[in-house]
Amino acid sequence: MDRARMHESAHGELLASADAEGEVWYCPMHAHVTSDHEGSCPICGMKLVRKGAGNPESSHAGNAHVAEHEASQSTADAETGVWYCPMHAHVTSDHEGSCPICGMKLVRKVAESPKSSHAGKAHVHGELHASADAESDVWYCPMHAHVTSDHEGSCPICGMKLVRKGAETPESSHAGEIHVPAAVQRRMGVVTEPAQIESFQSSIPVTAQVVADQRRTIALAPRVEGWIERLGVSVVGQRVRAGQMIYEIYSPELQQRQKDYLDLLTRRDALVAAKGGEMRSIKNTQPDPMLASVARERFRMRSRLLAAGVPPAVLEEVEKFRRVREVVPVLAPQDGLVTAIRAQVGSFVGPGEPVITYSDPEALWAELSMSADLLPHLADVEHVLIHSPGAPAVRVSIDPSLAVADSLSRRVTLPVPLPKSGARFLPGMLLDAEVVTKARDALTVPVAAVLRSGQGDIVVVAEPDDHFRPAFVQLGRESADRVEVLAGLAPGETVVTNGQFLLSAESSLQSLWRRTAAAR
């Protein structure tokens, strides 16, 4: 049968007349688009292809040619070899060449037995017939399932080695796995490492913040109402010494208490002056009731002044000079570091309103902030390393019973005491810390080998014959570069440490091709 008649389309008459008159240019994707000169397709923009009287490609213009071509292809295949494009199966030729659409080199299709009369259609649609699988072996590309062959070879598209699909398919012995040739693995940069049992000591990084010891923190608040006349500290972080003036307060209430106290002292002096001589003359050792009552009242009023914040030195000055002190200073009871200033000069303050807060700089704690996942491992913690800028790490111990969970942040806070270190640590500092657990034998893999997802933690296991499979694992403790595997992996199994995402993409593509081939 004449090959020109095999590939006539619905527009064959137009093309035949155009061929008779002169050269015809047509679109390989839209055969009804023709022109008498070179140009581009107005529909898809593809460059027009020249169709002459002796052009082999002229027999493949348009989708209408494909139907007639399929009807007569089996006879042509029996007579001579056919060359076709692996990406565009409807493009065929009777000699070697290139695809006019994608430029890919045409592949020769060897003549087959009569029972394979549907082989051409199988190549056109990219499917494998069950009858062909049952009667003969079929070799196919794992990446391009529509590329098949009746003998071993390589894929003309990606160069991957064809896989034999017969009565015992590779998929039956490698269910859930993907096959990636060694050459492709090298291009992907796949790196593997065996899982091994080793002495494992996890070092988990956490954050820490320096806080003051609340037992050594002092909040200086007035005991009476008044106004701040002067402040003895300027900024937060300023060091104060015991006995240093922190602030001065002007309080009418304190002035009135001083007046009452001075009146009592005057009454006592008058009473002693009136009875002192008579008592000395009669040698009376019995205390005078009036003097005893005044003494008790003096002790009570003096204690009230001291409790109101009047320093003992100021009170002695009042007793000595018998003069009211209008502005009373408030002194620091111990050394410390100012952590808060809550009032300014001229502020009105009352009882219970702290003016200055300061703490002991040598009594500090570090609050470790960690995930709740670490709670089960706190009993195995050996020590904690606290890092500070420009100094060696400080090693401290922990008390797991002090751990507190925060319902808002869903994190666990664990305070640990810091050693005395001068000005190395200051309240409010943010530090880096490491929680170091006790060493023990464990099955470990590199941290880079684990793919973390919402469904769980996954590693890619390398199997023999260049096969790979995913495996869900249960993880335990983790260090800077390795992680403990509690379940899902056996010692000696090889895991992929680099290139997992490319293998995942490869697996998705292979699954897609298989599903497409099965659907066809």
Side-chain angles (χ1 to χ4, degrees), residues 457-468:
D457 300 319
I458 304 173
V459 296
V460 178
V461 181
E463 297 287 356
D465 301 327
D466 297 327
H467 282 78
F468 299 88

Side-chain angles (χ1 to χ4, degrees), residues 164 202 233 307 510:
R164 180 178 178 272
S202 64
V233 295
Q510 291 190 21

Side-chain angles (χ1 to χ4, degrees), residues 426-506:
L426 297 176
M429 287 181 62
L430 295 177
L431 304 174
D432 295 326
E434 293 182 57
V435 177
V436 182
T437 59
K438 301 174 183 176
R440 69 177 184 185
D441 292 339
L443 177 65
T444 65
V445 297
V447 174
V450 181
L451 299 176
R452 305 180 188 270
S453 65
Q455 288 74 31
D457 300 319
I458 304 173
V459 296
V460 178
V461 181
E463 297 287 356
D465 301 327
D466 297 327
H467 282 78
F468 299 88
R469 65 173 175 86
F472 283 93
V473 293
Q474 180 182 354
L475 303 180
R477 300 179 300 175
E478 184 175 339
S479 66
D481 56 349
R482 300 194 70 83
V483 61
E484 178 184 16
V485 179
L486 302 179
L489 201 63
E493 286 190 301
T494 303
V495 298
V496 178
T497 60
N498 186 64
Q500 303 97 312
F501 293 102
L502 294 177
L503 289 175
S504 177
E506 182 89 359

Side-chain angles (χ1 to χ4, degrees), residues 322-340:
R322 303 295 175 90
R323 186 173 57 194
V324 174
R325 183 76 174 264
E326 294 184 354
V327 177
V328 178
V330 176
L331 309 180
Q334 65 182 36
D335 295 346
L337 198 69
V338 176
T339 57

Side-chain angles (χ1 to χ4, degrees), residues 37 90 106 236 266 290 293 339 366 410 466:
H37 60 276
H90 64 278
L106 299 182
V236 173
T266 301
M290 294 292 293
S293 176
T339 57
R410 297 185 179 181
D466 297 327

Side-chain angles (χ1 to χ4, degrees), residues 323-373:
R323 186 173 57 194
V324 174
R325 183 76 174 264
E326 294 184 354
V327 177
V328 178
V330 176
L331 309 180
Q334 65 182 36
D335 295 346
L337 198 69
V338 176
T339 57
I341 301 176
R342 306 182 185 278
Q344 292 79 36
V345 175
S347 299
F348 178 80
V349 294
E353 299 179 8
V355 177
I356 302 294
T357 302
Y358 71 98
S359 60
D360 187 353
E362 298 297 334
L364 299 175
W365 290 64
E367 286 189 347
L368 307 180
S369 178
M370 63 188 71
S371 171
D373 297 339

